[in-house]
Amino acid sequence: MRLDKYLKVARIIKRRTVANEACSGDRVTVNGKEAKPSKEVKVGDVIGVGFGDRVLTIRVLVVPEGNVGKNDSAMLYEIVYE
C-alpha cells in the first residue's frame, strides 16, 4: 500500500491529499529516510510524521488490503514515540 494511502487509512492524517502534501514536503520519513507518497509500506516499517514542532513515530503492524473501520484503524500501528 502507498504511504499516503496508509496514513489516511490508519487515520494518522485525515485526508489523502494532505498526506500526499506532507510526504512531498519532506515531513514524513520511513525507516529514517525521507519518503515520497508512492513509497510502499511494509509490516515492520517505522514511520515518522512531523506535525509542526512535534514528531509522531509509529511502527506498522498490519498493512490492510482496503479501507478499515474507524474502530479498527488503531490496530494497524503502534506508537513508538510521541
Side-chain angles (χ1 to χ4, degrees):
M1 177 177 283
R2 289 173 52 107
L3 176 59
D4 58 348
K5 185 168 183 179
Y6 183 84
L7 293 173
K8 188 256 183 209
V9 169
R11 288 181 168 74
I12 295 167
I13 298 179
K14 290 189 179 209
R15 289 189 282 321
R16 187 168 176 183
T17 55
V18 176
N20 192 310
E21 291 169 3
C23 295
S24 298
D26 300 330
R27 292 191 307 258
V28 179
T29 60
V30 175
N31 298 325
K33 298 178 184 174
E34 291 179 356
K36 300 208 183 267
S38 61
K39 168 87 171 132
E40 287 295 316
V41 176
K42 300 180 294 286
V43 173
D45 283 348
V46 176
I47 300 173
V49 182
F51 294 104
D53 60 346
R54 74 179 182 98
V55 176
L56 173 66
T57 305
I58 62 165
R59 179 173 291 113
V60 177
L61 300 178
V62 178
V63 178
E65 290 296 318
N67 288 332
V68 176
K70 185 177 182 179
N71 296 332
D72 297 332
S73 63
M75 294 181 205
L76 300 178
Y77 62 91
E78 68 176 342
I79 296 175
V80 176
Y81 179 78
E82 190 168 8

